[in-house]
Amino acid sequence: MKWEDRRRSSNVRRGPSMNRGGFGGGGSRGPVFLPMGRGRGGLGGIIFFFILMALMRGLFGIGSNLGEEQTRNEPDQYQQQTQIEPRTNSQSNGRERLEDFLSVVLADTEDVWNAKFEEMNATYTEPTMVPFTGSTRSACGVAQSNMGPFYCPLDESIYIDADFYNQLVNQFGAEGDFALAYVLAHEVGHHVQNQLGILEQTNKLRQTLSTKEYNKYSVAQELQADYFGGLFAYYVQEKGYLEPGDIDEAMNAAAAIGDDKIQEMSGRNVNVDTFTHGSSAQRKEAFDLGYQNHDIEHSMVFFDRIQ
């Protein structure tokens, strides 16, 4: 991806490293994870969302089912010492370069989503990205590297340890800078869902459904975020920022973190009823649909498919 001489986002706040803490979690609204919200943002909240859904049902035949927010509540107290290994200069430079790259990707997502919301006569509130090392605090509780990147709707921030890229490469075999760009675009997709009021609605469904039924909405929500990642890829391609192989890198990353792939890697039997993010094939399809359609309307197909 062509990125070195382009705009960096100003919405980056480094998370202070934390070896020990004693603070509460984020309440009932937990973070939205990559495997391993209160909506505002000028859309007129949920009222506008229902209007949008009504328009889509009438014009595009999109179903009215809403997704379910994938959340995880962290313990209220973080008691144990987090050990952070000393870093060499080359490691520090590599991390700085990855974070610099992510700030460019975040700037690109801002351009894409500001334009998409403007098409709806709405205002997009840009999220904050919080790079951190080891662990830090978020409004949803403790952020730790082993949790993977996540979006916290309570502070509208994306928490990411740039070393996750090494996990993508070494554990999942997903190489290339656009693999990491896809991960960030996916988390920004959760912020878009928050802006549209989807996270608010799915959080309510969580309270009434069985785990098996809830998982279906969780998968639909995650696939919609993958779709938004593909939408993002289309627009940066149109800007001439992508290089040969970048789309393949994103598709490989999407496939690498499918629920079936992760269950197989952990030595478990594949159980569709326990999926929370979607299979490798579903995640690749969702990204590709976003790339091909590059609109918000068609992203509701994943909820429409729920039986």
Side-chain angles (χ1 to χ4, degrees):
M1 180 178 178
K2 303 171 185 176
W3 65 274
E4 295 194 67
D5 298 319
R6 299 199 291 106
R7 180 178 77 88
R8 274 66 172 162
S9 173
S10 60
N11 296 307
V12 179
R13 171 177 59 84
R14 166 154 280 284
S17 296
M18 180 191 66
N19 287 335
R20 192 175 182 87
F23 52 87
S28 62
R29 297 298 306 282
V32 185
F33 290 86
L34 201 69
M36 283 283 288
R38 287 175 301 190
R40 51 186 181 86
L43 285 180
I46 298 174
I47 294 176
F48 178 88
F49 175 65
F50 282 123
I51 294 173
L52 179 62
M53 291 303 101
L55 288 173
M56 285 195 285
R57 288 196 301 272
L59 297 177
F60 301 96
I62 303 299
S64 60
N65 290 327
L66 304 180
E68 169 69 5
E69 180 178 9
Q70 168 67 17
T71 64
R72 182 187 303 175
N73 292 322
E74 296 302 318
D76 287 341
Q77 301 292 324
Y78 178 56
Q79 299 290 347
Q80 298 186 353
Q81 186 83 6
T82 299
Q83 300 295 329
I84 302 176
E85 295 294 328
R87 294 183 176 277
T88 65
N89 288 336
S90 61
Q91 287 175 318
S92 297
N93 291 339
R95 166 178 287 279
E96 290 174 3
R97 183 171 174 81
L98 284 171
E99 291 180 1
D100 193 30
F101 169 73
L102 287 169
S103 72
V104 174
V105 175
L106 183 63
D108 285 340
T109 68
E110 292 163 357
D111 293 342
V112 169
W113 288 111
N114 274 306
K116 295 302 290 184
F117 275 52
E118 187 176 346
E119 290 175 6
M120 299 186 294
N121 296 317
T123 300
Y124 177 64
T125 300
E126 298 169 354
T128 298
M129 182 178 71
V130 185
F132 68 95
T133 303
S135 64
T136 192
R137 65 184 67 205
S138 79
C140 294
V142 177
Q144 294 177 271
S145 296
N146 60 9
M147 293 160 54
F150 70 87
Y151 171 71
C152 175
L154 293 178
D155 57 15
E156 298 186 324
S157 297
I158 296 161
Y159 291 81
I160 185 167
D161 186 333
D163 279 349
F164 181 71
Y165 176 70
N166 296 326
Q167 187 177 3
L168 277 176
V169 174
N170 299 324
Q171 184 175 344
F172 297 106
E175 299 186 33
D177 56 7
F178 207 67
L180 188 60
Y182 150 74
V183 169
L184 180 56
H186 172 99
E187 297 304 331
V188 171
H190 286 310
H191 178 69
V192 172
Q193 292 171 328
N194 194 31
Q195 297 278 285
L196 292 172
I198 295 174
L199 296 192
E200 189 74 25
Q201 295 298 317
T202 57
N203 195 50
K204 292 177 181 178
L205 287 177
R206 178 188 173 96
Q207 311 305 318
T208 60
L209 297 177
S210 67
T211 299
K212 180 178 177 180
E213 290 303 310
Y214 160 79
N215 285 344
K216 295 178 183 179
Y217 288 92
S218 175
V219 168
Q221 179 175 282
E222 295 299 328
L223 294 179
Q224 185 183 53
D226 284 332
Y227 177 101
F228 288 153
L231 181 155
F232 161 78
Y234 170 81
Y235 281 96
V236 293
Q237 170 70 35
E238 289 294 291
K239 292 286 187 179
Y241 298 150
L242 296 192
E243 298 175 310
D246 280 345
I247 296 298
D248 289 337
E249 291 172 3
M251 295 279 276
N252 289 340
I257 53 180
D259 283 323
D260 53 342
K261 179 72 174 293
I262 291 175
Q263 288 180 354
E264 289 172 351
M265 289 174 60
S266 63
R268 292 178 290 163
N269 293 327
V270 174
N271 184 349
V272 175
D273 290 338
T274 64
F275 285 4
T276 58
H277 288 69
S279 68
S280 295
Q282 287 175 316
R283 302 199 72 168
K284 287 178 64 177
E285 180 205 22
F287 180 91
D288 187 55
L289 284 174
Y291 185 77
Q292 298 299 329
N293 292 312
H294 48 86
D295 59 20
I296 293 178
E297 291 83 359
H298 284 87
S299 73
M300 293 304 296
V301 67
F302 307 107
F303 299 114
D304 194 38
R305 292 175 180 176
I306 295 175
Q307 300 295 323

